[in-house]
Amino acid sequence: MFLLRRQNQNQPENGSSNNDAKIYEQLAELKAAIGPLSGRRLKYCTDACLKRYLEARNWNVDKAKKMLEESFKWRSTYKPEEIRWAEVAHEGETGKVSRANFHDRLGRTVLIMRPGMQNTASEENNIKHLVYLLENAVLNLSEGQEQMSWLIDFSGFSFSTKLSIKTARDIIHILQNHYPERLGIAFLYNPPRIFQAFFKAVKYFLDPKTAQKVKFVYPNNKDSVELMKSLFDMDNLPSEFGGKATLEYDHEEFSRLMTEDDVKTAKFWGLVDEKPFPTKNGHSGAEVAPEPVASIVS
């Protein structure tokens, strides 16, 4: 297996809010504001999705509508749901970004990032690879959960690591504007001092709410250790992050799993053509059909 498999059985938090009535009122307002939807936009705009856009804009309906319309435009041109593993598999050969085979204690999908394993210089392809895995992380969320966790391992990170501020800025833009409230928490585990200067430059592009979700974690810091224990089963957590498991990335196995998920993605979005196409590793996936016409009332 590409990572130790041990599914956490804890259920996501489903706390009720005293402001439910107000939330549903604003939700109804946003639905009325965007008007009738069809096709992929209808599939995309679940109540949970609309709530995330409202929350990202401090429950301002007009601002949430504008943000959502920008995401419609981005998704219609970038088409993240149509990216298939065969297109980005070469970016993942070193395991620089992968989906863990466990969730955190809140049921959130975990993405493991290892910038020291960077293997290509193409900013466009690096971003496309990450967007693919963001979509895959969403596909694999536990029921009732809307967010994911990031674990970032800095082993091997150095001045020679191919990571530009421009790429970081573009990733932040996509995450904050088109995946609002998807990031629950990001752990930067034992980052070297050279990264701290880089982060100071990147932090300028983070909104305050996102910045609060970024946690610097150090193995010799008691509070850091307790924070990790509070959110992860230490038997699942790789030793690179202070846990007891072994982090072993098997590209062939991960490719197989991603190709299987490509079929699920195609079915979810109604893109299944029933005709498989060959991938670089010999597995097969589903072809993509044209996007149904969608409408939105301004």
Side-chain angles (χ1 to χ4, degrees), residues 242-257:
K244 300 177 182 179
T246 300
L247 177 59
E248 294 180 349
Y249 179 76
D250 183 329
H251 186 60
E252 193 67 22
E253 173 68 3
F254 192 73
S255 294
R256 183 186 67 79
L257 293 171

Side-chain angles (χ1 to χ4, degrees), residues 88 90-98 111-122 125-127 129-130 133 151-153 162 249:
V88 297
H90 63 285
E91 290 288 337
E93 288 178 353
T94 60
K96 63 186 177 186
V97 185
S98 62
L111 287 185
I112 293 180
M113 304 180 180
R114 298 189 284 176
M117 304 294 285
Q118 180 61 262
N119 61 324
T120 65
S122 169
N125 289 337
N126 269 289
I127 292 173
H129 176 237
L130 179 59
L133 286 167
L151 290 173
I152 306 174
D153 169 30
K162 301 180 182 69
Y249 179 76

Side-chain angles (χ1 to χ4, degrees), residues 18-32:
N18 294 328
N19 299 318
D20 278 353
K22 181 64 175 177
I23 290 174
Y24 284 107
E25 178 183 331
Q26 290 169 311
L27 186 60
E29 288 181 22
L30 181 56
K31 287 180 179 180

Side-chain angles (χ1 to χ4, degrees), residues 33 83 106 119 258 272:
I83 303 172
L106 300 181
N119 61 324
M258 293 301 98
V272 181

Side-chain angles (χ1 to χ4, degrees), residues 17-52:
S17 170
N18 294 328
N19 299 318
D20 278 353
K22 181 64 175 177
I23 290 174
Y24 284 107
E25 178 183 331
Q26 290 169 311
L27 186 60
E29 288 181 22
L30 181 56
K31 287 180 179 180
I34 63 177
L37 301 170
S38 62
R40 298 185 203 180
R41 292 183 182 181
L42 179 61
K43 191 79 172 176
Y44 181 71
C45 291
T46 62
D47 283 1
C49 172
L50 297 180
K51 287 178 185 177
R52 288 189 291 101

Side-chain angles (χ1 to χ4, degrees), residues 57-71:
R57 289 297 177 261
N58 295 315
W59 303 96
N60 183 299
V61 173
D62 290 337
K63 291 181 178 180
K65 173 177 177 286
K66 181 179 180 181
M67 185 185 195
L68 187 58
E69 288 173 337
E70 289 299 316
S71 287

Side-chain angles (χ1 to χ4, degrees), residues 47-210:
D47 283 1
C49 172
L50 297 180
K51 287 178 185 177
R52 288 189 291 101
Y53 277 83
L54 282 165
E55 185 174 356
R57 289 297 177 261
N58 295 315
W59 303 96
N60 183 299
V61 173
D62 290 337
K63 291 181 178 180
K65 173 177 177 286
K66 181 179 180 181
M67 185 185 195
L68 187 58
E69 288 173 337
E70 289 299 316
S71 287
F72 284 163
K73 293 176 184 176
W74 178 77
R75 293 188 72 89
S76 68
T77 56
Y78 201 89
K79 300 184 184 301
E81 71 277 13
E82 292 186 14
I83 303 172
R84 296 295 174 258
W85 178 248
E87 301 171 50
V88 297
H90 63 285
E91 290 288 337
E93 288 178 353
T94 60
K96 63 186 177 186
V97 185
S98 62
R99 173 173 58 82
N101 241 10
F102 58 88
H103 291 71
D104 69 11
R105 294 189 187 276
L106 300 181
R108 296 181 293 205
T109 304
V110 177
L111 287 185
I112 293 180
M113 304 180 180
R114 298 189 284 176
M117 304 294 285
Q118 180 61 262
N119 61 324
T120 65
S122 169
E123 294 182 3
E124 180 181 352
N125 289 337
N126 269 289
I127 292 173
K128 188 175 184 179
H129 176 237
L130 179 59
V131 168
Y132 171 86
L133 286 167
L134 289 175
E135 291 284 315
N136 183 267
V138 171
L139 179 72
N140 286 280
L141 286 170
S142 299
E143 184 177 355
Q145 180 57 260
E146 288 288 302
Q147 296 186 314
M148 64 187 79
S149 296
W150 290 4
L151 290 173
I152 306 174
D153 169 30
F154 284 90
S155 300
F157 185 90
S158 67
F159 280 114
S160 62
T161 301
K162 301 180 182 69
L163 186 63
S164 72
I165 291 178
K166 180 183 181 301
T167 301
R169 181 195 64 193
D170 291 346
I171 289 171
I172 289 169
H173 174 82
I174 290 172
L175 180 67
Q176 292 184 159
N177 291 283
H178 305 310
Y179 294 88
E181 298 302 316
R182 282 299 192 192
L183 180 63
I185 195 165
F187 291 103
L188 279 60
Y189 196 83
N190 202 26
R193 289 186 177 181
I194 57 172
F195 176 80
Q196 295 178 16
F198 177 85
F199 184 75
K200 285 182 180 179
V202 168
K203 191 175 180 181
Y204 174 80
F205 304 109
L206 293 173
D207 66 46
K209 192 170 184 180
T210 302

